[in-house]
């Protein structure tokens, strides 16, 4: 039998924990901070993987509002930096909707960004914007910078 020696390069990493059909409620000082539903969660030493996606509600206790995020695949590194892929939808409490296929989220800086085609639909005034070369925005979508933009504006 001819076996290769196990090295760091060809070693298969094994998760510490695997959770199926999981609902997570995270509270701080008795207040709900966020709620996650995911079909599969795999915890590793330095990151958490959501290979079948997730639905995430982030609550703001001061305004009693939430931001919603859904995606097909998520990798969370130290619960600070997120790589999110596949059928991404982010909706803020006003109903503004961001849609894209890949995005990065830095929770420490409270920013999201990508270099992919992104669409934003503003609920209040029916404006639809398309960013061909990506986006930089605050995580609540209050401040947005679109790259190579086009759009549709309602005329009254």
């Amino acid at each position: 039998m001819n076996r290769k020696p196990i090295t760091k390069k060809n070693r298969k990493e094994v998760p510490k924990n695997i959770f199926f059909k999981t609902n997570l409620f995270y509270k701080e000082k008795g207040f709900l901070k966020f709620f996650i539903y995911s079909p599969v969660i795999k915890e590793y030493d330095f990151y958490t993987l959501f290979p079948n996606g997730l639905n995430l509600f982030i609550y703001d206790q001061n305004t009693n509002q939430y931001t919603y995020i859904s995606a097909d695949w998520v990798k969370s590194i130290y619960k600070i930096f997120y790589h999110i892929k596949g059928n991404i939808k982010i909706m803020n409490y006003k109903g503004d909707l961001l849609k894209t296929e890949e995005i990065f989220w830095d929770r420490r800086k409270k920013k999201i960004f990508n270099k992919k085609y992104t669409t934003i639909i503003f609920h209040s005034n029916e404006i639809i914007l398309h960013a061909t070369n990506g986006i930089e925005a605050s995580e609540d979508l209050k401040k947005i910078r679109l790259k190579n933009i086009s759009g549709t504006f309602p005329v009254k």
Side-chain angles (χ1 to χ4, degrees), residues 87-129:
N87 197 27
I88 300 164
K89 293 179 181 83
I90 302 173
M91 184 180 291
N92 67 10
Y93 65 92
K94 294 179 188 175
D96 301 334
L97 178 66
L98 179 147
K99 292 166 49 171
T100 191
E101 285 301 313
E102 181 177 41
I103 205 155
F104 299 93
W105 177 24
D106 185 336
R107 288 193 60 210
R108 197 175 282 154
K109 294 180 181 177
K110 297 186 177 197
K111 297 213 179 254
I112 60 172
F113 57 94
N114 72 9
K115 292 185 179 180
K116 302 285 185 181
Y117 183 87
T118 302
T119 300
I120 299 179
I121 303 165
F122 293 95
H123 176 71
S124 60
N125 54 15
E126 300 176 17
I127 293 174
I128 301 170
L129 300 176

Side-chain angles (χ1 to χ4, degrees), residues 21 24 35 53 57-58 64 86 88 107 116 126 139 147:
K21 294 183 180 179
L24 293 172
F35 164 75
F57 292 86
I58 304 167
N64 201 25
I88 300 164
R107 288 193 60 210
K116 302 285 185 181
E126 300 176 17
E139 64 186 11
K147 301 172 186 176

Side-chain angles (χ1 to χ4, degrees), residues 19-24 35-41:
F19 304 97
F20 297 98
K21 294 183 180 179
T22 304
N23 292 306
L24 293 172
F35 164 75
I36 296 175
Y37 169 76
S38 182
V40 178
I41 301 173

Side-chain angles (χ1 to χ4, degrees):
M1 197 157 149
N2 188 8
R3 289 189 180 204
K4 290 182 182 179
I6 296 175
T7 64
K8 260 189 169 179
K9 190 174 181 179
N10 66 7
R11 182 182 71 196
K12 184 84 171 161
E13 196 172 2
V14 177
K16 294 187 311 183
N17 296 304
I18 299 175
F19 304 97
F20 297 98
K21 294 183 180 179
T22 304
N23 292 306
L24 293 172
F25 293 88
Y26 178 76
K27 290 183 177 184
E28 281 183 5
K29 298 179 183 175
F31 293 102
L32 183 64
K33 286 293 210 182
F34 62 82
F35 164 75
I36 296 175
Y37 169 76
S38 182
V40 178
I41 301 173
K42 295 181 178 182
E43 286 186 339
Y44 296 86
D45 287 330
F46 304 107
Y47 65 94
T48 303
L49 191 63
F50 301 83
N52 298 87
L54 60 67
N55 291 300
L56 168 64
F57 292 86
I58 304 167
Y59 291 95
D60 181 348
Q61 67 190 32
N62 297 325
T63 63
N64 201 25
Q65 306 288 342
Y66 67 89
T67 299
Y68 169 73
I69 300 171
S70 70
D72 293 341
W73 180 93
V74 177
K75 183 176 184 179
S76 164
I77 303 166
Y78 292 116
K79 296 180 180 145
I80 296 171
F81 190 83
Y82 293 78
H83 182 191
I84 306 168
K85 293 194 301 189
N87 197 27
I88 300 164
K89 293 179 181 83
I90 302 173
M91 184 180 291
N92 67 10
Y93 65 92
K94 294 179 188 175
D96 301 334
L97 178 66
L98 179 147
K99 292 166 49 171
T100 191
E101 285 301 313
E102 181 177 41
I103 205 155
F104 299 93
W105 177 24
D106 185 336
R107 288 193 60 210
R108 197 175 282 154
K109 294 180 181 177
K110 297 186 177 197
K111 297 213 179 254
I112 60 172
F113 57 94
N114 72 9
K115 292 185 179 180
K116 302 285 185 181
Y117 183 87
T118 302
T119 300
I120 299 179
I121 303 165
F122 293 95
H123 176 71
S124 60
N125 54 15
E126 300 176 17
I127 293 174
I128 301 170
L129 300 176
H130 307 278
T132 306
N133 296 330
I135 182 173
E136 293 176 14
S138 59
E139 64 186 11
D140 60 5
L141 302 179
K142 286 183 180 177
K143 296 178 185 174
I144 300 171
R145 181 173 166 237
L146 302 170
K147 301 172 186 176
N148 200 2
I149 185 173
S150 66
T152 306
F153 297 87
V155 178
K156 294 183 182 190

